[in-house]
Structures are given as structure tokens and as C-alpha cells.
Amino acid sequence: MLSINKARAQQTPSNKDTETGTVSGRVMQATNKEPIPFATVALLNEDDSTIVTGVAADERGAFVLKPVPYGSYLLRIGTMGYTPVFLKVKPNAERSLWEMGNILMETGARALKEVNVVGQKQMFTMNKDSIVFMPDENFLPGGTGMELLEYVPGVTIDANNNITMEGKDKVKFYVDDKPIALTGMDANSYLNNLPSFMIERIEVLKAPPDAVEREQALVEGRTNIRYINIITRKIQFRGYSAAFTAGMDSRRNLNAKMRYNLNLAPFQVTYFNNGQYNSDSSYLSRKNFPKEAGKDTTFLDQKNFRTSYNFAHNLNGRYELKISEKEKLRGSVTLGWTGDGSNGYNNSINSDKNHKPTMLKDQESKNRRNGYRAVTDWFYYKEYEKPDHKMEAGFNFTKNNGNGYGNNDYFYLLTEDTSLQRTKRKNGNYSMRANFHYRKPLENGKYYDLSSSVDLASGTSENLARRKNVNDNELLFSPRLSSDYSNFNQTYAVNAAVGKRSRKLGYNFTGRLSYAGAKSEELYAGNQFNNETYEVRSSMGINYSPWKNHMANLRFNPGVQFFNQLALLDSLRSRVPFKYTNVSPGINFQYDYKQQQLTFNFNRNMDRPTPDQLNPFVNTADSFNIRMGNPNLRPSFKKDYRLEYLVQIKRHQIKAGIEKEDADDIISRYTKVDFINDTTVVNTITYTNLASRRDRNAYITINSHFFKALQNNRGSFNMNISGGVRYYNTVTDGGEEGKDAVSEKFAHVEGWTSHLTMWAAYRIRVFSISVNGRYNGPRYYAQGKQEARFNSGLRSQVNLFQRKLNVSFTIENLFGSTVRNSYELTSTYEQTSNARRNVRYLSLNVTYNIRKFTKLGQKGPKDFEKEEPL
């Protein structure tokens, strides 16, 4: 919807004032002083009248815009049947709260024309501490959330869907201000199953949007994490809207998507589904070095062909009880069903040093999986009379269940042997989260803050395998290839903070006590794992403003971690215990001057191995590439240093910095070669602890957004450029334990890498055209590198029948591509691989939109307050 976006300017966890204000008021009829519900309130830049943020007034005509970065704006209030009102507002340090009181609107004939303003809006909002991407509903017809994410400045997605910020920072995901785990899905599953038109905006933040997790980030002081918050599209007015998309491309891929939103306030219903069918292929060539001097070198060539389909359904019912203007209870129940399937064909050839075949193997596989997801989420919020005096409480319960099977047929041509494997799969899990947050201001800017959280999660995963060879009469149970795995995780935490909010001189003291436990058991192998961590964390900070427009923040983050890990292995019940006491100091300094920011951060933290990395279950889905865990893994310890300078000039941002990371016992993926005989080899992929890694980086990045509203042609021009260069110097020591996991060639790598994303779109009336290009430099790791990635595209769109119908034509990889190439090298093997997705292809998507709203019991126009696609 037009100007419903709430682009928030999140700040780094700090005790300083956030340099943002609040604009509030109440919209009323001038004739009888009755409230005007659901009026559209838009905040516009004073210089070019572009939309910064907006909100819809509630049923009583009241509205609140927050946080609003300091500056000069025009406030525009409009609704059908009334002449729009323009007011000037200027939040600043002297007056951060702008209470507009009763805003009176006159009836007028111009109102209908004014309401249906063309959606000429700036699609990116950037400031020192956040980036907000606000795509139009039909920005990416036929796309998914994962594909839309690639348009966010600084986001890097590699060939394995690993997501980082500018190729370095870690990323945590949230949906509608809550951790993505509360949806019952992980980030990759959620984003790949979420249609792009379900996303209203994407926020990149330096602090978690969830209040409880924000307190945790405050005491941990980690600065190498960025928080991506996905805000889903909703209906702010009473009524409904729906969108249907169907598409196909020249790779014989098909997709179908549907969204339906219904608002019967206080009840709201959201439904979406996503169905896709695709075919793909890849090629892998591996050279294995001889295990003994004088032996022949062997080669393995693999060609993989796969067709797959997946579909997801999600139904969400939401109820919001407004006890009073400042007290709310919001609840939701979500039911989801997900299914997918794939058919694959794999041709593998083992050959000697002369590439003469020694074994040919054909493998056919079929996999099916489906399951349901049920989530209930409740949130209570109360705001007291005194500003910033509030209480929040939340409860979430998620239950998942799934079933599936896999069939694998093998055929060995040279040995005339075949085998057949059948696997049945069942999995289920639940999670529960409860949290509480209370904040009370005292006199003279002082306050105290209390919060607590409880997280419980349990899951089971059962894989029952049966197998037979060519001479067997029946399928026999295979315990070695089966698993019955269960886990239980629990976390308890309490936070307390006291401080004084003052721009001149403020302070904050925060303490945190927490316990985290992770238990898991594998039935057939007889393995058990138990990880426990006790943490005592604290944070002491002070902010000082020596002059106008200057602000200095200094924070210390001392902490102690007590870690205990115990593994009970196999039938011998051998014990592998690890105990650690880890001191986790940290210091963070930040200096702000107008739109410039200088930061220095140091932190020492510990990363524990996950149960999946510890579990030694053998996965033989691909008999030449076997996967398993390592129960002997130890935690890794990292010390991070970062010095960064940032300057924001209107819609342009420049960052430059240097980084240093020293890590011991780093957990790394390890691929080793096992010889079945002199001519047949298999790979085993597991994890190991490397002795150390020393990483040095220097970087500079630029983010710029250009916007021009073309009033005469009822169009607009948007362009975004995000790029940077990085110098890296990485030294990895595998030690005695991980010496084979680090190749000599990549033990010490240095050089330059870069990333660049460019996107431009031009719209004139109902037509639009856009071009994009993305480049990510090569990514190095201990065993090799992923090749540089480049792709590009051209998209044209037309909107017909009063913008109800959108037709989009796309050319992907317009200038060629090297997507998903990788190279690996160790002391025992050398491997290259690529994928068929590199080719240029065409796609066509058709979207049909339906919108209908009601207001005060009367029917409004079907296109009321609609959003026009770019």
C-alpha cells in the first residue's frame, strides 16, 4: 500500500539518545469534530517531496510515526472525500516529540484525485545505522524472498545460499520483528518458500528488532552481526487483497504463487502459497592423488541431472484486542504445509591416470517429503502515561512434523552388480519461547529495565534404511545407514539494566545471567552428547556530548563463560569430555559528528559446535560423497578487532575500515578421500578443529541510491549502486589434527576481492523497464575457493486494466555468468565443479491483483490506496 511503510532507523545498542523523534496527532472532520478513521499519513522529504515513511490512522483517527530521524519534513494527511492537509514538522534534539493535536480536514472535490497519487517513492532509505528496502508489490514477479534479498545493498549470497553482509559479517534473520525460528522454519526454507510479493520491506539493522534479544546483543557486544528484518505485507484498511502469479522460463521451470490478505479488524487472515517445478544439472570432475608413491592417479567424473518440485502453503489468523489506546493484546495462529520431491539421475565414471574407465556407475534416486507446521504467537503490550514507561510479554509455541522417503537404485556396469536402497524418514520437533520486558523511567532521565526469556526446543529425526544387493532376495534392515536421532535444547536468561538517558552525559549498567544446555542422542550408534554453558555477562557504558552535533559512546563488556561438553560414544561408552572457562572481554567506542561516525570494537567470544556437527551419523545419499559428524569437536575461540569510518551524505553512504580476527580451534569442514580399492575412491565430508586462523582485512564500500520523480510523465527513475573492494590476508594452520584439511596452496592467501550490485529502473505510466548486474569476487577457504560470481538481468513490465494485471518479461544472465563454480584442493585430491544455471534464459510471469476495501461500513473503490508497481 502507498505510504504504509514504516522505515525505522534502528541504532547500535547504546545508552545514547537515538537522534530520532516522534510525530503524533489525531485526524478529525472540521465540520463536526468527529474522528476520521484510516486516514493516510505520509512523511515527505522537504526538498523533493519523496516519501520517507507513513502509517494509517486507527479507527479513532489517531496516528503515531516513530522513530523519525531528525530533520525537516512535510506531513501529508489524505483520505477520500477530504482535501489533503500539509504541515511542516522538524524533529530535533531540542524538540524530539511533535504532538500535532487535532488535525482538521475539510471536505473537497479534489480529494479523490489527491488520494490516487502515483506511487513515486524512493525504494531505499539509508542512514548510519540501517538500510531499508521498500519494493513495490510487483517488483519481482514470480520471485522468492531469497531472490529479492539480493537487491539489498551489501548482501552477498554464495553458491550454497550462505548469506553475509559485504562478504564478511554474519547475518541473523527476523520476521515482523521476531526471530525467524518462531515461524517454525529456518532462514533458507522460509525465504525460498516466501513469494516476493509477500514482502513489504526489508530492514538491515545493527541491533536486533526484538527487545529481549537487543538486551542480549548489548551485553555480548558483538559487532560482526547484521540483523535482517523481513516485514510481510498486510492490509491496513478493512477489506481484502489478493495476488496470483504464474510463470515459466526457457529452462522448462514453472512457478505458481498466490497471496490473500483479509482484514476484518480485529481479525486478520493471511494466506500464501508457493509452487515451483525446475530441472537442473551439474558437472563435477575430481582428480585423486595416489595414496602411495608410485601408484596410479585416479579420476572421477560425475554428471548429475535432477528435476524437482516443491510447494508450501501458509495460513495465518491474527486477532488483536485493543484494551485501550495504550494497551494491546495480539495473538496469531499459523498453519503451514510444505512438500517437495525430486527425481535424479547420476552418471559417475572412475578412471585411471590415462582416463581409461575402471568403473561406471549409474544411480537413479527419488525423494519425497511433506509435513505440517503449526505456530501460535501471543504478544501483550502496555504503555503507561509517562513516556518510555512500558511492559511487554510474549509467548510462542511451534510444532513441526514431517514424513518422507528416498529410493536409490545403483547399477555398476563393469561389475554387473546392482543394489537397491529404501529409506523412510520421519521428523518432528517443537519449540517454546516466553519472554518478558519491563522498562520504567525515573526522574531526571534515569530508568531501570528488566527482561527475561525462556527457550525450549526438542526434536526427533528418524531415518530407517533397508538395502539389498543383486543376489539378495529381499530388502534387509541396515542399522549402519539408519539413524534415530533426538535432541533437547534449553536456554534461560535474565537481564537487568539501570541508567540515565541524557544527550549531554548519560550512562548504563547492564547484567545478564544465562544458562544454555543442548542434549542429543543417536540410538543406533549409541552416541550421546551434552553441552552446557553458564554465562555471566555485564556491560558498562557512558555517552558524552561535548558540543552540538557531537556524541561519544564508550562501552565495556566483560563476561565469563563456563562451558562443559561431554560425548558418550558407541557401545564401549567411551567418554570424550571438554571443560572450559572462557573470559570474554569487549570494548566498543563510537563517535558521531553530524552524518559521520567513527567506531572501534574489540570482542572475544566462543563458538560451540552444533549437535549436527558432532553427530557421527553416516549419510550415504550420494555413495561417492559421504557425510558424517565428528564427536571430538571442540569449541572455537575468536578475538575480533574492527576500526571503521562512515559518512552519510543524503542518499549516499561511504564506509572504510580495517579488521583483524584471531581464531583458535576454528571449526572447519574437512573432505578426505577413502580408497575402496586401487581404482575406486569415495569422499567423506566431516568437520575438524584447525589449530588457528589469522585474518587481516581492509575495505571500502559505497552505497548510493538515486531517485527522481517524473511528475509530467507520471513516472519515476530509481537507481541503486552498492559495491566495495576488500584486501585480505588469511593464514590458516591446520595443526597436527587438521593438517590434511588445509591445502598448502590456500594455507596463506592474500589479495583483493570485490563486490558490486547495480540496479536501475525507469517507469513511465504503466510501463517499466529495469536492468541489474551483480558481481561477487572469489571466496577462499582452507580447502580451495568458490569462483567469482557474476549475473545480470533485464526486466520489462506492463500494467493493464487499471493495474490489476501485471505482465513481466525477463532475461537472466544477460551478459553471461559464472555462477556456482567452485574449486577444492587438499593433499589427497583436487576437484572442480559447475552448474548448468550459468546459461542465459528467458522467463515470463503474469500477476493478477484484486483489491477491495470497506470504510465506515461503506464500500470504497477497488483500487483505493493501491500501490503502483515500479
Side-chain angles (χ1 to χ4, degrees):
M1 284 187 165
L2 177 63
S3 55
I4 298 302
N5 303 295
K6 306 172 185 176
R8 300 175 303 170
Q10 293 283 348
Q11 302 292 321
T12 306
S14 170
N15 56 291
K16 71 171 184 177
D17 288 340
T18 58
E19 296 187 359
T20 59
T22 301
V23 179
S24 62
R26 191 176 185 186
V27 186
M28 306 184 71
Q29 300 179 36
T31 55
N32 55 15
K33 303 301 187 293
E34 290 292 323
I36 301 177
F38 311 126
T40 301
V41 182
L43 194 69
L44 313 177
N45 276 321
E46 188 178 24
D47 55 353
D48 57 10
S49 296
T50 56
I51 297 174
V52 176
T53 185
V55 72
D58 62 17
E59 295 180 354
R60 300 182 181 181
F63 67 89
V64 177
L65 284 168
K66 65 177 182 180
V68 177
Y70 289 166
S72 297
Y73 305 96
L74 290 175
L75 189 69
R76 179 190 181 279
I77 300 94
T79 190
M80 179 171 293
Y82 295 87
T83 302
V85 175
F86 291 87
L87 301 170
K88 188 173 181 179
V89 294
K90 190 177 181 180
N92 51 46
E94 288 72 28
R95 184 183 173 187
S96 61
L97 177 60
W98 281 67
E99 172 57 60
M100 308 302 295
N102 295 333
I103 301 173
L104 305 180
M105 300 191 70
E106 301 279 355
T107 57
R110 295 177 55 216
L112 180 59
K113 180 179 179 181
E114 292 290 345
V115 168
N116 290 310
V117 174
V118 176
Q120 302 159 342
K121 65 179 182 181
Q122 179 179 325
M123 301 188 72
F124 290 89
T125 299
M126 293 183 290
N127 59 47
K128 292 182 293 184
D129 297 306
S130 69
I131 297 175
V132 181
F133 174 36
M134 298 165 287
D136 289 318
E137 186 173 356
N138 290 326
F139 177 81
L140 196 64
T144 65
M146 182 68 78
E147 294 169 325
L148 188 63
L149 190 65
E150 293 201 72
Y151 288 87
V152 177
V155 170
T156 303
I157 304 177
D158 67 13
N160 299 314
N161 283 337
N162 296 311
I163 302 170
T164 56
M165 286 298 299
E166 297 168 357
K168 185 66 177 178
D169 288 331
K170 297 179 180 178
V171 173
K172 285 188 176 181
F173 281 91
Y174 295 75
V175 176
D176 293 329
D177 301 332
K178 299 299 180 183
I180 199 168
L182 301 187
T183 66
M185 304 173 73
D186 58 53
N188 275 354
S189 298
Y190 184 86
L191 290 171
N192 281 310
N193 285 292
L194 181 70
S196 60
F197 55 41
M198 277 295 300
I199 297 178
E200 178 181 305
R201 67 181 184 273
I202 300 176
E203 304 171 341
V204 181
L205 312 171
K206 288 187 177 180
D210 180 72
V212 175
E213 295 203 3
R214 194 179 305 125
E215 293 297 318
Q216 178 180 346
L218 183 70
V219 295
E220 289 188 357
R222 295 196 186 213
T223 58
N224 63 338
I225 298 178
R226 292 297 177 264
Y227 305 90
I228 295 183
N229 191 23
I230 307 294
I231 303 298
T232 57
R233 199 172 296 277
K234 306 174 186 69
I235 296 295
Q236 303 293 333
F237 294 84
R238 289 177 179 171
Y240 66 84
S241 69
F244 307 86
T245 294
M248 62 181 298
D249 64 41
S250 57
R251 299 178 303 174
R252 296 179 298 174
N253 295 340
L254 306 174
N255 72 77
K257 298 174 172 62
M258 183 215 171
R259 165 182 71 79
Y260 179 76
N261 287 328
L262 173 67
N263 188 353
L264 299 176
F267 298 97
Q268 297 182 41
V269 175
T270 300
Y271 169 80
F272 68 85
N273 65 33
N274 183 12
Q276 291 182 316
Y277 169 86
N278 61 71
S279 60
D280 202 358
S281 64
S282 62
Y283 176 76
L284 180 149
S285 176
R286 179 185 304 138
K287 174 182 178 181
N288 293 287
F289 298 112
K291 61 179 178 178
E292 297 178 13
K295 290 283 186 177
D296 286 344
T297 299
T298 63
F299 293 85
L300 171 66
D301 293 331
Q302 284 186 328
K303 292 182 179 180
N304 302 285
F305 301 91
R306 182 177 64 93
T307 60
S308 67
Y309 60 88
N310 65 77
F311 41 89
H313 299 263
N314 194 86
L315 176 66
N316 177 272
R318 184 168 174 250
Y319 172 77
E320 182 170 308
L321 174 63
K322 193 176 289 186
I323 303 172
S324 68
E325 286 297 320
K326 296 187 176 183
E327 189 173 9
K328 299 179 181 179
L329 174 65
R330 185 173 67 240
S332 67
V333 176
T334 301
L335 299 176
W337 182 71
T338 303
D340 62 58
S342 65
N343 296 330
Y345 172 76
N346 178 299
N347 172 254
S348 303
I349 302 175
N350 261 134
S351 57
D352 59 20
K353 64 178 180 179
N354 298 317
H355 284 273
K356 180 180 179 180
T358 57
M359 188 191 76
L360 284 78
K361 175 183 173 183
D362 288 334
Q363 176 181 340
E364 293 183 5
S365 62
K366 180 187 292 185
N367 289 278
R368 301 291 184 268
R369 181 177 57 182
N370 62 77
Y372 70 83
R373 181 177 71 260
V375 181
T376 181
D377 190 86
W378 293 87
F379 178 75
Y380 173 78
Y381 177 84
K382 184 175 182 179
E383 186 177 350
Y384 297 87
E385 293 300 325
K386 196 170 185 179
D388 206 32
H389 186 189
K390 60 184 179 180
M391 179 174 65
E392 301 169 282
F395 175 80
N396 176 277
F397 182 82
T398 301
K399 180 72 173 71
N400 284 349
N401 187 69
N403 293 279
Y405 69 87
N407 298 335
N408 292 283
D409 296 286
Y410 307 91
F411 181 43
Y412 301 86
L413 290 180
L414 298 185
T415 61
E416 297 182 352
D417 182 27
T418 62
S419 66
L420 180 65
Q421 180 176 321
R422 298 278 190 264
T423 304
K424 289 185 177 180
R425 307 184 183 102
K426 291 196 304 183
N427 63 78
N429 60 73
Y430 78 85
S431 65
M432 185 187 75
R433 182 180 193 252
N435 59 77
F436 171 82
H437 180 220
Y438 179 77
R439 186 179 185 90
K440 184 176 182 179
L442 304 174
E443 299 298 327
N444 300 320
K446 297 180 181 179
Y447 68 92
Y448 68 85
D449 192 294
L450 302 173
S451 63
S452 62
S453 63
V454 176
D455 291 89
L456 304 175
S458 179
T460 60
S461 178
E462 185 178 42
N463 290 270
L464 302 179
R466 296 182 299 158
R467 190 176 186 275
K468 76 170 185 176
N469 291 323
V470 65
N471 297 319
D472 295 332
N473 295 321
E474 61 179 337
L475 289 165
L476 300 177
F477 177 62
S478 177
R480 184 175 178 272
L481 303 178
S482 301
S483 69
D484 191 351
Y485 180 67
S486 62
N487 63 81
F488 176 69
N489 301 324
Q490 51 185 329
T491 303
Y492 308 91
V494 177
N495 299 279
V498 295
K500 178 181 179 180
R501 294 179 63 88
S502 171
R503 183 170 180 81
K504 185 66 176 178
L505 179 63
Y507 59 85
N508 173 276
F509 298 94
T510 303
R512 174 181 172 88
L513 301 175
S514 67
Y515 166 81
K519 296 181 180 180
S520 58
E521 180 176 6
E522 208 294 302
L523 178 64
Y524 293 111
N527 300 316
Q528 296 181 11
F529 309 97
N530 186 11
N531 292 345
E532 293 183 309
T533 303
Y534 299 87
E535 286 189 327
V536 180
R537 295 269 192 174
S538 62
S539 174
M540 299 171 286
I542 185 173
N543 69 274
Y544 174 60
S545 179
W547 306 285
K548 184 179 180 181
N549 298 322
H550 292 256
M551 173 66 74
N553 275 264
L554 180 64
R555 179 171 296 280
F556 297 95
N557 295 81
V560 180
Q561 297 170 304
F562 304 96
F563 176 74
N564 176 51
Q565 175 178 308
L566 177 64
L568 301 177
L569 305 177
D570 58 50
S571 58
L572 299 177
R573 316 307 292 171
S574 58
R575 300 168 63 89
V576 184
F578 296 111
K579 292 187 177 182
Y580 296 91
T581 299
N582 178 45
V583 179
S584 302
I587 182 172
N588 299 275
F589 174 76
Q590 179 174 305
Y591 193 91
D592 290 82
Y593 171 63
K594 293 185 177 179
Q595 294 301 307
Q596 301 178 72
Q597 187 178 85
L598 179 68
T599 57
F600 171 77
N601 303 284
F602 163 73
N603 291 283
R604 183 178 189 270
N605 283 287
M606 174 179 66
D607 292 329
R608 301 176 301 172
T610 66
D612 289 339
Q613 293 173 330
L614 292 167
N615 183 19
F617 165 65
V618 179
N619 186 328
T620 59
D622 180 346
S623 58
F624 278 162
N625 296 277
I626 298 172
R627 290 176 292 147
M628 61 186 298
N630 178 11
N632 296 297
L633 286 177
R634 301 182 300 276
S636 62
F637 299 88
K638 295 181 181 179
K639 291 186 289 185
D640 293 301
Y641 308 80
R642 176 182 292 188
L643 177 65
E644 181 178 273
Y645 170 76
L646 179 150
V647 59
Q648 177 90 27
I649 306 172
K650 293 186 177 179
R651 292 188 290 266
H652 314 288
Q653 186 182 90
I654 302 175
K655 290 192 297 184
I658 55 176
E659 296 174 330
K660 176 184 177 183
E661 180 185 276
D662 295 332
D664 296 319
D665 282 338
I666 188 76
I667 298 173
S668 173
R669 194 186 71 164
Y670 171 37
T671 304
K672 61 181 180 178
V673 175
D674 295 318
F675 283 76
I676 305 302
N677 50 51
D678 288 340
T679 59
T680 305
V681 295
V682 297
N683 273 14
T684 301
I685 301 170
T686 183
Y687 299 90
T688 189
N689 286 106
L690 307 181
S692 65
R693 178 177 294 157
R694 304 292 179 253
D695 198 6
R696 309 292 183 265
N697 290 267
Y699 62 90
I700 182 170
T701 63
I702 300 175
N703 294 323
S704 293
H705 184 64
F706 302 90
F707 172 80
K708 178 66 175 178
L710 309 175
Q711 298 290 350
N712 293 333
N713 293 326
R714 297 188 63 194
S716 62
F717 176 76
N718 269 279
M719 183 172 71
N720 196 78
I721 300 176
S722 173
V725 294
R726 176 182 291 269
Y727 170 77
Y728 59 88
N729 187 319
T730 304
V731 179
T732 305
D733 179 11
E736 186 63 28
E737 180 180 351
K739 61 181 179 180
D740 293 329
V742 180
S743 67
E744 293 183 3
K745 182 177 180 180
F746 298 110
H748 182 192
V749 291
E750 66 175 334
W752 294 86
T753 188
S754 59
H755 71 278
L756 177 66
T757 299
M758 297 183 65
W759 164 77
Y762 174 74
R763 184 185 66 190
I764 177 171
R765 296 184 181 274
V766 297
F767 299 97
S768 68
I769 186 169
S770 64
V771 293
N772 68 82
R774 304 182 192 91
Y775 171 80
N776 293 318
R779 178 188 176 193
Y780 290 88
Y781 50 99
Q783 291 184 349
K785 68 176 181 179
Q786 291 178 348
E787 300 288 351
R789 176 186 180 188
F790 170 76
N791 61 339
S792 55
L794 172 68
R795 179 182 301 110
S796 60
Q797 296 187 45
V798 60
N799 295 284
L800 304 172
F801 306 113
Q802 295 182 337
R803 302 187 183 275
K804 294 180 182 178
L805 182 67
N806 175 276
V807 181
S808 170
F809 177 74
T810 304
I811 305 176
E812 287 294 338
N813 297 324
L814 182 63
F815 303 108
S817 174
T818 57
V819 182
R820 299 182 184 274
N821 284 6
S822 63
Y823 172 76
E824 294 188 8
L825 175 69
T826 69
S827 59
T828 59
Y829 83 105
E830 183 178 13
Q831 173 178 301
T832 59
S833 62
N834 58 50
R836 194 179 67 88
R837 292 184 182 178
N838 304 341
V839 301
R840 184 179 295 111
Y841 66 92
L842 312 177
S843 63
L844 178 68
N845 288 278
V846 179
T847 300
Y848 186 75
N849 296 287
I850 301 174
R851 297 178 178 89
K852 192 171 184 178
F853 303 93
T854 58
K855 180 182 175 186
L856 297 176
Q858 302 295 323
K859 291 185 178 181
K862 294 182 180 181
D863 59 347
F864 178 72
E865 286 296 322
K866 71 176 184 298
E867 175 186 75
E868 291 194 346
L870 186 69

